[in-house]
Amino acid sequence: LRPSRKFPNLPLSSYYRMASRDPHPPVGPFTTNEEDQREAAKLKARLDQNRERERGEDSTTADDFGSVPRVQIDEGANKYVLIQARRRAGDAENFVISQRGASYHRNAAEPLIYQLESAGYDDIRVKGGGRIDRNDESKEIKIYGFSYSFGQPDHGISRSVVLSDARFQDYTVTTSNEGY
């Protein structure tokens, strides 16, 4: 069974890599499976290795950093992750990303992790995941649930990050630990 009639001959691994780029992603429940668990574990291990390697290195200055938006959430109900990253010799910053078409939480995390690494952030940690339902018509954002791969983040932190973005200050943002 293929997840999409649009790409009937595409191997599943290729489909998952491009899912976040599809402007009309397939509708359907993607549940964490063993392959996703392995890939998420690899991602966490890579981030742990990077943290170990970066300890003791202090040659980067604040001028070396690029800018990464702290909030990147697509409209609709999508998987999201809360990521914490640090600029060398700086305080930790929290980032929230949800992406339409992210079949798994790691699919939402990977593009932001790449942006953070490219911009010079280090000590990158996926604090957990869930879902964000953004409704621009009613100006409501619901943050809820958990990730089998990354656990449940503190949705209150995610809410604070979202409300710190000027685009969402007039939205009603609610949180719940219920749901998947």
Side-chain angles (χ1 to χ4, degrees):
L1 181 67
R2 299 283 180 201
S4 172
R5 287 179 283 180
K6 188 173 179 181
F7 306 103
N9 299 318
L10 195 61
L12 289 177
S13 60
S14 297
Y15 175 79
Y16 293 135
R17 277 194 297 275
M18 66 176 282
S20 64
R21 296 183 198 110
D22 188 354
H24 305 289
V27 175
F30 283 91
T31 301
T32 300
N33 57 32
E34 288 181 29
E35 178 186 359
D36 179 58
Q37 289 287 333
R38 283 190 302 273
E39 292 300 315
K42 286 181 192 176
L43 178 61
K44 288 190 259 185
R46 183 174 67 80
L47 292 174
D48 289 342
Q49 287 174 343
N50 287 350
R51 273 193 298 280
E52 288 299 318
R53 186 175 55 246
E54 290 159 353
R55 282 196 183 129
E57 295 178 11
D58 201 18
S59 60
T60 306
T61 65
D63 294 336
D64 295 333
F65 294 106
S67 178
V68 177
R70 293 185 62 209
V71 179
Q72 301 176 49
I73 54 177
D74 288 343
E75 189 172 9
N78 303 293
K79 293 189 178 181
Y80 99 95
V81 290
L82 172 64
I83 295 179
Q84 186 179 72
R86 185 177 310 277
R87 295 177 187 248
R88 293 209 179 108
D91 293 331
E93 296 179 47
N94 292 303
F95 299 83
V96 171
I97 184 169
S98 77
Q99 282 197 310
R100 182 180 296 119
S103 299
Y104 302 105
H105 289 95
R106 72 176 166 82
N107 299 127
E110 287 171 330
L112 179 55
I113 290 169
Y114 176 77
Q115 288 176 352
L116 292 167
E117 289 173 330
S118 297
Y121 284 82
D122 61 5
D123 195 20
I124 300 168
R125 300 170 190 258
V126 180
K127 302 302 279 184
R131 295 185 190 260
I132 290 184
D133 185 354
R134 174 180 152 196
N135 185 324
D136 289 340
E137 188 174 308
S138 65
K139 294 198 176 261
E140 293 179 323
I141 296 175
K142 298 174 186 171
I143 303 172
Y144 60 96
F146 65 95
S147 163
Y148 282 109
S149 297
F150 299 113
Q152 187 173 58
D154 182 335
H155 294 313
I157 293 172
S158 300
R159 180 180 184 273
S160 294
V161 173
V162 169
L163 286 172
S164 73
D165 188 307
R167 296 173 297 165
F168 303 115
Q169 288 179 348
D170 61 342
Y171 280 61
T172 301
V173 181
T174 58
T175 65
S176 170
N177 289 333
E178 303 300 318
Y180 166 71

